[in-house]
Amino acid sequence: MMMHWIQQLFKCVLWAASLFLPCLAVGLPSGRAARIVTDTIPDQTITDTLFSNSQEELVDVWFRKMPKQVNVAGLSSIDGEVLRSHPVADLSNALSGRLPGLFTRQNSGRAGSNFDKAAMTLRGRTPIVVVDGIIRDFTAINFNDIDQVTVMKDALSTSMFGNRSANGVVYITTKDQSKHRPFEASFDAQWGFLEDLKRFNFVDAYTYASLYNEAQLNSNPRATPAFSNSALEAYRNGTNDPFFQPYAEYYGAIYQPSSAQSRYNVNFSGRGETFNYFLSGEYFGQGGNLVDNPDKVYNTSNPYDRYNLRGNGRISFSKMLSVGFHIFAGFETYNEPGGTLATSINRAFFQPRTIHPIYNPDNTFSGTPAWTRNAVGSALSSGYITGSVRRINTDIDLHFNLEDITDGLWAKAVASISNFYNRSINRVVNPPTFGISRNANGEIVYSPILAPGFVTANIGVPSITDQFNRNYFSGLLGYDKSWNGHKIRSMATYYYDLYNESYTQLANVNHTFGLSANYSFRDRYIAELGLSYASVNRYPEENRWILLPAVGLGWIASNESWFPSENNTLSLLKLRGSVGKNATNVNSGYFAHIQGYTLNTTGYNFGASSTNVLGTMENFLANPSINYERALKYDMGIEFGLFKNTLQLTAEYYNNHFYDEVISPFNNLYSGVIGQTLREQNLGQTRYYGWELSMQHRRETSGGFGYHVGGNFNIAKSRIIDRNEGYYPYEWGYSEGGYQTQIFGYESLGLVESAAQASSLPTIAGYSLQPGDIYYRDLNGDGVINQYDQKVIAGDKPTIFYGLNFGFHYKGLDLSVLFQGAKNTPMMLNPLEMSAFVNGAGYVLDYTTENRWTPTNMEDAALPRLSLGPNINNTQNSSFWLRDASYLRLKNMEVGYSLPHAFLQRIRLQSLRLFVNGQNLMTWTPLDYFDPESGMGYSPNKRIINAGVTIGL
């Protein structure tokens, strides 16, 4: 209840702030905005005037911005305003299809950014996330706070991140000032509806009983059918006894395929001669998909609520000194039943439906000695688990203008403290169950099965799920100079980063020295250097420090004197390239070079009475040579600007060789006499390479009409060079030489058609093939199907992913559309969960039974025969269970209308915009039954329909 009132109070504060905005607006000066003096208010997001003017497109680099035209590194950016059309909880889901090189996959639609955030892959690797220059590794950010998102893809753009640079960077900068006027304020309110893209459809009672008899007959042809003809007829016409001949609809009783969400945001921003600031507050909430039990005083659903506060700004005390700050506080709450959401749904899948009802006649939960726990009771009456997440980040920087020493010299010091805390309270009880029977008089008798438990206020089992903190300090010294067509922009830096990733471990401490220099001559020839020298305390002393150089060159041919200036078609022609070394310590392990031991573990027996004495056990053998994973990266690009740069085209090729990858060694390479497992070693090598194409076209015409079209197309390849795989007797057993995405399994040749055919086929040892079973290719011809017959069956093609966006605006009306898709993305279905009655009772849905093999449906069958219980032959990973999960989505669409400015002036408003937007609106895919991203997951991805209003002053 307390959390409920806190939520309501926070929402009221946001509403009150929106009502107070007009009062703040009264008396503000009109006309030209107060001038902000950028050379006296330098900031990590303010550009040096040496390189740009206000009309140039800017991109983020480490702690600064620079004009895109003089950039020679491999990076791509998107403006934060574009992301606001996405009604999603997490930023990762708003980046899908937006940036070349970045591939996202949303594996779950469960409420909350803790669970539904997308997995991001940048050129084959998982990038680090950086917010305002500091590694944060979270993306639950208020979209209204975001100024720009940049993906840094090559060795040069990530060089300043030292020993964490190899996997690329998603670099987020947040706003720190108003955009158009000296004071701006806005309020945003949104309400949305979510529904599952795909729904799990369980069969009806009659179908279930009929299929059970079929599976029973297939497994034992002499068995007496479990369901008689009269029982089948009762299920067919609905005359079955609901208590002694039940059919329990577990899933529908606990899961609702739709839910709601809301978002409220208020922000204030401003700027003046000696200051700038941005302040915001956000509430975001999503309802859960589990049914809430109205008879309980606690919540049994899985809602998610988030509160974000941000304050950014800068104060200039003199021409020489300014102080900047970035302060963020986030608080999240989540909830689920005591039986957990995953377990409750899984029970609804695998529990039998005809053994006992959900509720007994007296409304208690029903059970049997074999099935003691009731799936619905697990969801509605097992107590609850509630958790809270707290994030606090505080960044302070001092910027010194040292032009009195020499023109163009500056210095900066940054200090940052970050704290993350995830705490859960577990108040779990057993939901009591009772079995029912009839006595000789026909009266119902109740038998206790599972003893009851009780939830008591203020009593529970608290646990710290995660807790970490980061202390960061950096010093920067920069020198920017322009003379006679020469321009140089240089920066030297040192930073210290102490990261406690667990309260049970010692800190991870990084030291990095860096040097960055960008030189250009007459805006034609560009050279850039990135150099870092970094260490981490997780490695032995002799391996801690690493030198990582990177260089880039660029040529803007369109700025040459011989390039025809009257050429109105080709306005920009630029070639660029970079090469360099990166490294990462993400897989360093916990002091893997130091031998670890477990105390007070299984010991030895001593004496005549064989008394056990506890002892000390050696853990994984230490690896004294553990070192960084390294990468040698090449990046080449060509950029075109057409029709006065209204159309921009970019083509980019990359080739990244990762070596010294940390992998587990092949255990058969050393003797079992050692009696212990080796630690991970630097033995792997992988090459990632591919092409990225992007296009942007924007045009404004007379009459207030404007439009834009953009897109990107990516071909991502990889090749495993070395995995220390040891010896295989056959070449098809090796992964080396293949794609990183390859999937191993048996090659299915189809379904057995007859007993005669079954007797002639190779089989798994101890199994006799039956008509309707899957049969496999015997690769080595030994007549037995085993591990030596497994090979690459999928994932041996380049991953292709793309995005297409377009839109227009006209006299207050605006439209934006985003299509996003992927190809060559195979999905291996879980054979166990695709097998009806695999546990003798559950998983009986449309996708596990429709178009199965039967004697009358042999040629077109898409599923093997039904079996009662596990079938070791049909539940092997094989090409039979592979599906093409390629897809094209209408990922995002927004329609908005802004009221005329003349009308708004009468009510003292600067803007008022009404809008409707949606996410995952339509999907085209050859995959049946499942979403191509979330697959068979228990929380399918959602379609979101959202509406809102934005009021600005």
Side-chain angles (χ1 to χ4, degrees):
M1 290 297 293
M2 178 61 69
M3 181 52 60
H4 170 76
W5 288 111
I6 292 175
Q7 294 173 2
Q8 298 306 313
L9 177 61
F10 193 87
K11 294 177 185 178
C12 290
V13 169
L14 293 182
W15 276 107
S18 68
L19 297 175
F20 187 60
L21 294 183
C23 301
L24 293 175
V26 176
L28 288 176
S30 60
R32 187 171 61 89
R35 182 174 60 92
I36 181 168
V37 185
T38 56
D39 58 351
T40 61
I41 311 180
D43 186 23
Q44 59 193 38
T45 58
I46 294 182
T47 307
D48 304 294
T49 56
L50 171 68
F51 282 95
S52 67
N53 58 62
S54 60
Q55 302 302 315
E56 289 185 288
E57 183 179 352
L58 306 176
V59 293
D60 283 311
V61 294
W62 194 67
F63 273 111
R64 300 181 77 174
K65 284 183 182 289
M66 67 182 299
K68 180 181 178 181
Q69 182 168 326
V70 298
N71 168 64
V72 295
L75 50 81
S76 303
S77 296
I78 186 173
D79 190 272
E81 294 300 313
V82 176
L83 305 174
R84 294 177 60 180
S85 66
H86 292 265
V88 293
D90 195 85
L91 173 63
S92 59
N93 288 316
L95 297 178
S96 300
R98 293 288 188 184
L99 292 161
L102 183 68
F103 180 62
T104 66
R105 183 183 183 92
Q106 185 181 358
N107 296 308
S108 171
R110 181 174 172 179
S113 60
N114 292 348
F115 308 101
D116 77 343
K117 66 180 179 181
M120 296 189 293
T121 303
L122 185 60
R123 291 186 172 176
R125 307 285 289 197
T126 301
I128 61 173
V129 176
V130 175
V131 181
D132 294 324
I134 313 295
I135 296 176
R136 306 290 192 197
D137 203 24
F138 77 95
T139 47
I141 300 175
N142 180 359
F143 295 175
N144 291 277
D145 295 352
I146 297 173
D147 178 56
Q148 190 175 74
V149 178
T150 300
V151 288
M152 301 178 174
K153 300 176 284 188
D154 70 335
L156 184 60
S157 61
T158 63
S159 61
M160 291 296 98
F161 292 95
N163 55 23
R164 288 164 293 182
S165 58
N167 294 340
V169 178
V170 175
Y171 195 101
I172 304 165
T173 52
T174 58
K175 300 173 183 177
D176 65 355
Q177 61 180 307
S178 57
K179 189 173 183 180
H180 302 291
R181 294 173 295 115
F183 173 80
E184 294 176 354
S186 69
F187 173 75
D188 188 89
Q190 302 180 38
W191 304 270
F193 172 80
L194 299 83
E195 64 174 349
D196 291 353
L197 288 175
K198 296 289 185 177
R199 300 186 181 185
F200 295 112
N201 299 311
F202 291 82
V203 300
D204 60 37
Y206 170 76
T207 304
Y208 179 95
S210 300
L211 294 175
Y212 189 96
N213 283 352
E214 181 183 323
Q216 185 184 31
L217 183 64
N218 289 340
S219 300
N220 182 6
R222 298 181 179 180
T224 301
F227 297 93
S228 64
N229 289 334
S230 60
L232 292 175
E233 188 61 28
Y235 279 128
R236 185 201 296 270
N237 57 33
T239 58
N240 57 299
D241 187 313
F243 301 110
F244 293 95
Q245 196 181 24
Y247 184 71
E249 295 276 7
Y250 298 120
Y251 188 74
I254 67 171
Y255 188 87
Q256 49 192 8
S258 61
S259 58
Q261 71 176 30
S262 61
R263 187 193 306 263
Y264 303 96
N265 173 80
V266 61
N267 62 68
F268 307 89
S269 58
R271 52 181 176 164
E273 292 279 352
T274 59
F275 66 91
N276 55 272
Y277 64 90
F278 178 87
L279 308 173
S280 75
E282 180 203 41
Y283 164 78
F284 177 82
Q286 281 185 331
N289 287 107
L290 288 185
V291 173
D292 186 21
N293 188 344
D295 296 328
K296 298 295 182 182
V297 295
Y298 54 82
N299 193 342
T300 61
S301 187
N302 60 302
Y304 168 83
D305 294 282
R306 182 178 73 211
Y307 311 85
N308 283 346
L309 296 172
R310 183 178 298 278
N312 298 343
R314 178 167 296 278
I315 301 174
S316 179
F317 293 98
S318 68
K319 184 178 180 180
M320 294 185 59
L321 174 64
S322 66
V323 177
F325 60 89
H326 288 76
I327 300 173
F328 171 80
F331 183 71
E332 303 172 33
T333 63
Y334 57 91
N335 193 85
E336 62 180 331
T340 77
L341 182 145
T343 300
S344 298
I345 293 180
N346 284 337
R347 285 195 175 121
F349 273 74
F350 69 70
Q351 284 198 341
R353 296 179 164 242
T354 58
I355 301 299
H356 63 78
I358 297 175
Y359 297 101
N360 292 319
D362 65 350
N363 214 35
T364 57
F365 289 113
S366 185
T368 68
W371 297 93
T372 60
R373 295 186 180 273
N374 185 296
V376 177
S378 176
L380 301 185
S381 296
S382 62
Y384 65 98
I385 300 172
T386 185
S388 61
V389 176
R390 181 192 68 203
R391 289 186 178 92
I392 299 176
N393 306 322
T394 303
D395 308 340
I396 303 294
D397 73 81
L398 300 176
H399 192 288
F400 302 91
N401 187 333
L402 304 179
E403 291 186 349
D404 288 346
I405 299 176
T406 184
D407 188 37
L409 186 65
W410 57 270
K412 188 173 186 176
V414 180
S416 173
I417 298 176
S418 303
N419 182 276
F420 172 88
Y421 184 79
N422 185 351
R423 183 175 186 266
S424 65
I425 297 178
N426 190 325
R427 295 192 173 105
V428 179
V429 298
N430 288 327
T433 55
F434 298 86
I436 57 173
S437 60
R438 294 188 187 276
N439 60 20
N441 298 323
E443 300 170 328
I444 295 178
V445 178
Y446 295 86
S447 304
I449 301 295
L450 190 63
F454 302 94
V455 174
T456 304
N458 301 320
I459 296 178
V461 181
S463 63
I464 299 175
T465 306
D466 293 297
Q467 181 179 6
F468 61 78
N469 59 71
R470 166 172 269 119
N471 297 326
Y472 176 94
F473 169 79
S474 69
L476 303 91
L477 181 65
Y479 179 68
D480 304 330
K481 185 69 173 177
S482 175
W483 74 100
N484 299 329
H486 303 272
K487 296 178 182 178
I488 186 169
R489 176 183 184 273
S490 60
M491 178 174 61
T493 181
Y494 162 77
Y495 65 86
Y496 165 87
D497 189 1
L498 183 150
Y499 177 56
N500 278 302
E501 56 187 323
S502 172
Y503 62 94
T504 63
Q505 296 183 355
L506 298 176
N508 188 316
V509 181
N510 291 270
H511 299 270
T512 304
F513 296 90
L515 175 65
S516 173
N518 180 289
Y519 167 80
S520 67
F521 177 65
R522 295 183 178 176
D523 292 334
R524 300 173 188 170
Y525 314 108
I526 308 164
E528 187 167 343
L529 168 70
L531 184 67
S532 63
Y533 187 55
S535 77
V536 65
N537 66 333
R538 294 295 175 91
Y539 295 131
E541 290 189 11
E542 62 271 20
N543 292 341
R544 287 184 182 177
W545 288 93
I546 186 170
L547 181 66
L548 301 168
V551 295
L553 296 174
W555 176 41
I556 306 178
S558 52
N559 285 347
E560 292 284 1
S561 58
W562 47 263
F563 195 88
S565 58
E566 68 279 0
N567 189 340
N568 292 324
T569 301
L570 183 60
S571 46
L572 172 68
L573 176 59
K574 174 183 171 184
L575 287 83
R576 56 176 172 83
S578 69
V579 59
K581 285 189 175 182
N582 289 153
T584 178
N585 59 28
V586 68
N587 295 318
S588 62
Y590 185 65
F591 296 98
H593 62 288
I594 300 175
Q595 183 60 54
Y597 300 88
T598 299
L599 304 178
N600 298 323
T601 185
T602 303
Y604 305 89
N605 293 327
F606 293 95
S609 62
S610 187
T611 302
N612 182 263
V613 178
L614 296 180
T616 298
M617 183 178 68
E618 189 177 55
N619 295 332
F620 294 97
L621 296 181
N623 177 8
S625 302
I626 190 72
N627 212 323
Y628 295 97
E629 294 187 356
R630 306 162 195 250
L632 177 61
K633 297 182 177 181
Y634 298 90
D635 183 273
M636 293 175 285
I638 182 170
E639 300 177 13
F640 299 93
L642 304 174
F643 312 114
K644 298 182 180 180
N645 287 339
T646 58
L647 174 60
Q648 300 179 13
L649 303 172
T650 301
E652 200 162 1
Y653 171 78
Y654 65 92
N655 194 314
N656 301 335
H657 177 205
F658 281 77
Y659 58 100
D660 289 344
E661 291 177 301
V662 177
I663 61 174
S664 297
F666 191 78
N667 287 338
N668 291 343
L669 292 182
Y670 61 92
S671 172
V673 175
I674 295 176
Q676 189 52 277
T677 303
L678 296 179
R679 290 296 297 258
E680 294 81 1
Q681 299 180 28
N682 297 93
L683 298 172
Q685 292 189 64
T686 308
R687 186 179 302 279
Y688 301 88
Y689 58 104
W691 296 265
E692 298 165 2
L693 307 175
S694 62
M695 179 271 289
Q696 292 292 333
H697 175 52
R698 185 178 299 272
R699 187 177 180 186
E700 299 289 332
T701 64
S702 59
F705 178 79
Y707 66 92
H708 69 271
V709 180
N712 61 86
F713 184 83
N714 308 266
I715 301 174
K717 296 185 175 184
S718 62
R719 184 167 69 89
I720 296 174
I721 300 173
D722 192 355
R723 279 297 178 271
N724 188 246
E725 292 181 285
Y727 171 74
Y728 289 109
Y730 306 103
E731 63 179 11
W732 56 77
Y734 291 94
S735 65
E736 293 170 0
Y739 277 71
Q740 175 75 9
T741 53
Q742 60 193 345
I743 299 173
F744 275 80
Y746 296 115
E747 180 186 354
S748 166
L749 297 178
L751 298 174
V752 179
E753 295 183 359
S754 65
Q757 182 189 21
S759 64
S760 65
L761 294 172
T763 64
I764 295 174
Y767 184 83
S768 297
L769 284 174
Q770 303 294 324
D773 283 336
I774 305 169
Y775 67 101
Y776 308 107
R777 185 180 298 280
D778 182 13
L779 293 178
N780 62 358
D782 64 357
V784 178
I785 301 298
N786 55 27
Q787 68 272 21
Y788 298 121
D789 298 303
Q790 294 187 359
K791 66 169 189 173
V792 175
I793 55 176
D796 55 350
K797 296 180 180 179
T799 301
I800 297 173
F801 57 100
Y802 48 89
L804 172 66
N805 64 85
F806 57 88
F808 74 88
H809 63 87
Y810 178 68
K811 292 185 177 180
L813 180 66
D814 61 88
L815 169 72
S816 64
V817 178
L818 170 66
F819 285 91
Q820 176 257 339
K823 186 174 177 56
N824 296 338
T825 52
M827 178 181 293
M828 173 65 76
L829 302 179
N830 186 330
L832 291 172
E833 296 181 8
M834 286 296 296
S835 302
F837 306 109
V838 67
N839 65 337
Y843 296 103
V844 189
L845 300 92
D846 53 359
Y847 61 80
T848 64
T849 58
E850 288 180 349
N851 203 19
R852 67 194 179 279
W853 184 96
T854 65
T856 59
N857 182 37
M858 292 190 295
E859 293 185 4
D860 299 323
L863 294 172
R865 67 184 177 97
L866 295 179
S867 299
L868 200 60
N871 184 311
I872 63 170
N873 180 80
N874 296 339
T875 53
Q876 300 292 322
N877 281 348
S878 73
S879 57
F880 188 89
W881 300 112
L882 279 173
R883 299 294 185 269
D884 181 3
S886 301
Y887 67 93
L888 170 64
R889 283 199 203 279
L890 176 51
K891 190 69 176 181
N892 178 252
M893 183 175 184
E894 180 174 85
V895 179
Y897 179 72
S898 299
L899 272 64
H901 186 64
F903 168 77
L904 295 175
Q905 283 185 320
R906 303 174 188 172
I907 54 176
R908 294 180 177 270
L909 292 179
Q910 181 68 25
S911 63
L912 195 157
R913 181 173 179 266
L914 305 172
F915 58 90
V916 176
N917 54 36
Q919 188 85 355
N920 295 333
L921 295 173
M922 297 182 68
T923 305
W924 296 267
T925 177
L927 182 66
D928 293 325
Y929 301 112
F930 308 111
D931 179 76
E933 290 186 88
S934 58
M936 302 180 72
Y938 61 83
S939 291
N941 284 341
K942 313 296 183 187
R943 177 183 294 109
I944 306 175
I945 307 295
N946 187 74
V949 57
T950 299
I951 302 172
L953 294 178

